[in-house]
Amino acid sequence: MDVHLILRGETGEVPEVLLSRRAGQVYAAGLWHLPSGHLDGPHEDVVTALVREAREETGVDIDPADVRAAVTVHHRGPGGASRTGFFFEVRRWTGEPRIAEPDVCDAMGWAGLDALPAPMVAYCRAGLDAYAAGARLAVHFQQPGDTIAYDPSADRLRLVPDVAAPASGGRPDARVVEFTERAIGRITQWTDSS
């Protein structure tokens, strides 16, 4: 089980996310990825792990109340092992993001959701593509021989549709959310007026 931080900036027309490039003696060295990590044991929940990983990797402090569930991805790597990743969106934090672990990260920067850099870890890219599509659950099962890096010709992302939203409290399509939030700001609750 792992956690992924979608630290989201709103500096331009397109939302941006903070990415780091893995380096050193780590899995997927040289590939771009979201700040992420694993739980430190059975005592740690996913939100606590996300807040800790964000501080350790980027130097930013996040209030757990500002953590929002974005998408869950059931992933299987090319080697055959599977795991579940929880992707969380955070739009408010304190501190300036920086490389806080230079032994495992050699670059950090913002990228538009519509212009993600290459090479990127395929699993991370699947989570961001699912997030951008407004999905809540996705499956990303790679096949033996697939690369760790995202390859558009071997895109294994499969979005799992949500149950039909009830008349009140449902969330509109991601494009509607994006447009509305650009026009009037963050939306905390949706209601259906029909």
Side-chain angles (χ1 to χ4, degrees):
M1 186 178 317
D2 44 56
V3 295
H4 303 263
L5 172 64
I6 301 173
L7 198 63
R8 182 169 161 161
E10 302 291 335
T11 58
E13 291 289 317
V14 177
E16 294 182 321
V17 294
L18 184 70
L19 297 172
S20 60
R21 189 172 58 204
R22 300 176 59 78
Q25 301 299 314
V26 297
Y27 178 79
L31 304 181
W32 289 95
H33 199 283
L34 290 166
S36 61
H38 299 279
L39 277 66
D40 266 353
H43 66 281
E44 190 173 51
D45 65 73
V46 293
V47 173
T48 302
L50 182 81
V51 169
R52 176 185 52 74
E53 288 288 351
R55 188 178 323 104
E56 289 174 3
E57 291 188 24
T58 70
V60 302
D61 287 310
I62 297 170
D63 183 331
D66 291 324
V67 174
R68 301 288 181 264
V71 64
T72 301
V73 179
H74 187 203
H75 166 72
R76 180 181 67 205
S82 70
R83 65 182 186 265
T84 302
F86 296 91
F87 290 72
F88 295 97
E89 177 192 271
V90 174
R91 295 186 187 206
R92 207 166 58 185
W93 63 89
T94 57
E96 281 299 313
R98 61 179 172 75
I99 298 171
E101 294 180 319
D103 54 324
V104 295
C105 172
D106 66 2
M108 185 175 284
W110 295 93
L113 277 173
D114 64 345
L116 296 170
M120 178 175 251
V121 175
Y123 171 34
C124 177
R125 174 65 187 256
L128 285 171
D129 287 347
Y131 166 73
R136 296 288 178 235
L137 179 64
V139 174
H140 184 256
F141 267 36
Q142 291 182 286
Q143 302 298 314
D146 284 354
T147 63
I148 296 167
Y150 172 70
D151 175 359
S153 68
D155 188 359
R156 307 294 183 197
L157 176 62
R158 193 177 69 211
L159 304 179
V160 178
D162 290 346
V163 172
S168 65
R171 186 172 173 88
D173 178 84
R175 291 171 295 188
V176 173
V177 172
E178 198 64 48
F179 171 79
T180 305
E181 289 187 345
R182 268 191 276 133
I184 62 173
R186 184 176 172 95
I187 306 297
T188 59
Q189 183 176 355
W190 293 91
T191 56
D192 187 352
S193 62
S194 55

